[in-house]
Amino acid sequence: MAAAAGVVLSACTSAPPQQQPAPVDTGPAKQAEAIGNGGVVASVDPYASAIGLEVLRSGGNAVDAAVATAAALGVTEPYSAGIGGGGFFVYYDAASGKVSTLDGRETAPAAADANYFTENGKAIDFNEAVSSGLSVGVPGTPATWDEAARRWGTKPLADLLKPAAKLAGDGFVVDQEFRSQTEENAQRFAYFPATAQIYLPGGAAPAVGSTLRNPDLAATYDLLARDGVGAIYNGAIGAEIIAATNTPKTVPGKTVRAGKLAPSDLAGYKVEPRDPTHAQYRGLDVYGMAGSSSGGIAVAEALNILERGELRGQPKVDVLHRYLEATRLAFADRNRWVGDPTANDVPTAQLLSQEFADSRSCRIDPAKAAASPAGPGDPKAPAACPAPLAPAGAEGNEGHNTTHLTVADAKGNVVAYTLTIEQTGGSGMVVPGRGFILNNELTDFNFVPVTAGVPDPNLAGPSKRPRSSMSPTIVLDKGQPLLAVGSPGGATIITTVTQTLVNRVDLGMSLVDAIAAPRASQRNGAKTEAEPAFLAQPERADLEARGQAFTQVKEIGAAAGVERLPDGRWAAAAEKARRGGGSAMAVNR
Ligand code: GLU
């Protein structure tokens, strides 16, 4: 009745038609797939992808474009990544056919020891640790950009920072995702005046459609362009990082824990080139990131476990069951054996071996989910289907937000780069006057040993790197790049990358569909996290009958990737819907 009255009223009135509210500007359009013959970029953000694309158009290679895109993400995705954080850079060089990696993970201060996160013999409160100086590690991202540009780029870092500096000065249009992430963090951002000044304009999260400028960050990028990253590791910005970490500036009445960074921690920081992890899967070569990330090792082990049975053409429920069981086992092993390889004896080669995976895959019962936590195997002594060792604890504390980008250029060079400041909003602390947020990466350490009596490779230690799950991955087919992919999502990164590869390689989906497909993440827990669309599948009942148990979560990860099409062109692929959708762009010549 009310609706009918409304219709009559608007039809009969002679008043001028009501003005529609102007549509809210939500920034540049996003698209999940783009195909081109001159190079491609996939990231979560259209401003950042556009900057990478411009670098490709102007003759830069994939490394140049990746660094420029990452710098732009430091502006538009400041709660996920930036020069206050760290990450892992995987590069395929078309000229040599070689895959190389850079470990740009944050490091603990030299003053840290195994009790860094304990007080009176007990773990300190996790959230207290997050928003504090104690969780801040020496940033690795500036050094990673510098190292990548010097080793493999064609343009000086200064040129690659310029578009992001301009973006920071001009500002970007706030979308719903950015506003929501700000609102989720508003309370703790308000503790730190330097953070509130940028991200809580007028005391609240910026409105959707408003423009957010960060002139301090623009000036910081300009300074790095002029003076180089030494301004951070041996200069004025570094001194300010130390001050912000060791004597955090908070509003009256609020104190947070102080960090222990020394100038020598920054001066001594090094990006570590690491041998990539490698697995052969269905005749393809899968390369990833070795320790201090557990990502490459765990993805490779899960694939090696799956390698021992055909998935193609099998009933979907069997594929899903095997996938869940493979990552359950891979997580049992990753938790027990993987940490910073400089501080631990990580049996990387053994964990990556098919022999070890075979000794583990026999534990998969096709009709029954294993009880969790499942015990790890012993990669140092793989035997035919041995009994597992004692379980070595849970997945760890990683946050669920970071960012991933993938680039390929016309020459066939490929970059898969995942970078983070750990939790959404990192430590919550902006370095006053410099416009970037400091990481809380050190909370990726286990605060206390996860299992009494079992050595824990991921306790804090002097200048140690906390274990990561980031899994930037490049897949070659007969020596030529086929695809590259990665995702944010803390420990779920490992399952997202594994599931995307299974979708693409075994189930024959295109990369964009492999990324969009519903996800589930089993990480050696009694329950598997699953998205609503995963649980809506008819296979759910059969999986549950086999003992798989699920917890529903809104969404898992936000992947981005590239793949080479049979005609030689590249397709960039991003999320269709998760986190508001990602941004794929292509150059066509
Ligand atoms: N700190 C996490 C890791 O290194 C990444 C956080 C995330 O993906 O959200 O694995």
Side-chain angles (χ1 to χ4, degrees):
M1 193 59 161
V7 170
V8 171
L9 191 74
S10 62
C12 297
T13 178
S14 57
Q18 274 204 333
Q19 269 222 305
Q20 293 296 315
V24 175
D25 183 0
T26 50
K30 295 177 170 182
Q31 69 183 62
E33 189 179 36
I35 294 173
N37 60 7
V40 285
V41 183
S43 82
V44 296
D45 178 71
Y47 289 99
S49 294
I51 281 177
L53 206 74
E54 200 41 50
V55 171
L56 290 177
R57 260 201 204 107
S58 65
N61 71 5
V63 172
D64 299 323
V67 171
T69 304
L73 288 169
V75 178
T76 55
E77 293 277 307
Y79 308 149
S80 298
I83 52 174
F88 297 95
F89 196 103
V90 179
Y91 172 58
Y92 169 80
D93 182 70
S96 63
K98 200 173 153 223
V99 177
S100 306
T101 81
L102 295 176
D103 174 340
R105 186 68 158 170
E106 300 90 331
T107 56
D113 60 18
N115 295 318
Y116 189 72
F117 283 113
T118 66
E119 207 165 60
N120 307 320
K122 287 211 173 83
I124 65 175
D125 177 74
F126 183 74
N127 289 325
E128 244 182 62
V130 167
S131 302
S132 83
L134 205 57
S135 67
V136 179
V138 177
T141 291
T144 306
W145 296 351
D146 190 51
E147 190 74 26
R150 277 175 203 280
R151 278 176 184 253
W152 307 305
T154 67
K155 295 178 183 259
L157 180 61
D159 289 2
L160 305 176
L161 294 175
K162 273 185 196 139
K166 181 166 172 3
L167 178 62
D170 292 350
F172 65 94
V173 177
V174 170
D175 64 7
Q176 185 55 50
E177 183 65 30
F178 187 85
R179 180 173 163 83
S180 304
Q181 290 186 8
T182 313
E183 280 172 329
E184 282 157 24
N185 281 283
Q187 192 184 8
R188 68 190 189 113
F189 282 1
Y191 297 158
F192 305 105
T195 310
Q197 191 196 330
I198 300 171
Y199 295 116
L200 300 175
V208 173
S210 64
T211 298
L212 192 84
R213 295 183 180 83
N214 189 342
D216 288 348
L217 181 57
T220 300
Y221 278 162
D222 284 340
L223 182 68
L224 294 178
R226 201 188 62 210
D227 294 354
V229 297
I232 288 186
Y233 295 101
N234 300 289
I237 304 178
E240 292 167 39
I241 289 174
I242 292 172
T245 300
N246 296 355
T247 50
K249 296 261 181 311
T250 48
V251 291
K254 178 74 199 168
T255 53
V256 300
R257 289 172 192 275
K260 297 182 181 171
L261 283 184
S264 52
D265 292 322
L266 272 78
Y269 184 82
K270 283 206 168 48
V271 171
E272 300 286 353
R274 310 256 188 221
D275 288 340
T277 59
H278 172 251
Q280 276 214 322
Y281 188 60
R282 315 292 187 212
L284 304 171
D285 291 288
V286 181
Y287 291 94
M289 197 63 229
S292 55
S293 184
S294 61
I297 291 174
V299 169
E301 185 187 338
L303 293 177
N304 283 341
I305 290 172
L306 292 171
E307 174 80 356
R308 278 299 170 245
E310 193 53 74
L311 295 181
R312 191 181 302 225
Q314 300 304 304
K316 191 166 168 194
V317 64
D318 293 341
V319 174
L320 294 175
H321 179 74
R322 289 189 70 83
Y323 155 67
L324 296 175
E325 293 306 287
T327 61
R328 188 191 305 276
L329 293 171
F331 264 90
D333 295 322
R334 165 260 200 207
N335 292 344
R336 170 64 185 86
W337 300 107
V338 186
D340 181 348
T342 309
N344 299 285
D345 175 20
V346 180
T348 304
Q350 294 93 327
L351 285 165
L352 291 172
S353 72
Q354 188 63 50
E355 184 189 13
F356 177 61
D358 290 348
S359 80
R360 301 288 285 148
S361 65
C362 72
R363 306 222 64 86
I364 296 181
D365 181 340
K368 196 167 181 305
S372 269
D378 185 351
K380 295 174 182 173
C385 212
L389 306 173
E395 66 179 66
N397 290 324
E398 294 109 298
H400 280 238
N401 192 18
T402 177
T403 199
H404 175 82
L405 63 99
T406 316
V407 183
D409 64 28
K411 292 203 167 112
N413 302 301
V414 181
V415 172
Y417 181 28
T418 313
L419 62 164
T420 188
I421 57 172
E422 205 323 83
Q423 195 145 314
T424 311
S427 66
M429 305 194 305
V430 162
V431 178
R434 298 297 187 184
F436 65 92
I437 303 176
L438 289 166
N439 70 83
N440 67 301
E441 212 69 58
L442 302 187
T443 60
D444 274 4
F445 284 120
N446 293 329
F447 287 15
V448 292
V450 281
T451 310
V454 178
D456 186 333
N458 194 33
L459 292 176
S463 306
K464 193 172 168 182
R465 297 175 183 214
R467 178 175 63 206
S468 171
S469 298
M470 291 189 265
S471 311
T473 303
I474 295 180
V475 180
L476 306 187
D477 182 10
K478 300 181 193 67
Q480 295 300 314
L482 174 68
L483 65 95
V485 70
S487 177
T492 69
I493 293 171
I494 289 167
T495 57
T496 290
V497 168
T498 304
Q499 193 175 6
T500 304
L501 291 174
V502 167
N503 288 344
R504 172 67 187 78
V505 174
D506 293 302
L507 306 186
M509 297 179 194
S510 68
L511 188 58
V512 71
D513 288 341
I515 286 173
R519 292 190 186 129
S521 178
Q522 166 50 244
R523 308 190 298 279
N524 200 18
K527 294 205 169 185
T528 295
E529 287 179 357
E531 295 179 333
F534 184 94
L535 295 174
Q537 298 176 111
E539 288 77 15
R540 175 183 183 169
D542 199 351
L543 287 169
E544 286 176 337
R546 297 181 195 195
Q548 303 287 0
F550 298 99
T551 312
Q552 182 170 309
V553 292
K554 187 172 151 248
E555 60 185 32
I556 297 173
V562 299
E563 76 169 321
R564 186 156 226 168
L565 302 175
D567 64 9
R569 290 180 304 161
W570 285 94
E575 294 286 357
K576 291 181 181 173
R578 293 183 185 93
R579 284 209 206 163
S583 169
M585 293 190 186
V587 179
N588 273 294
R589 296 205 160 105

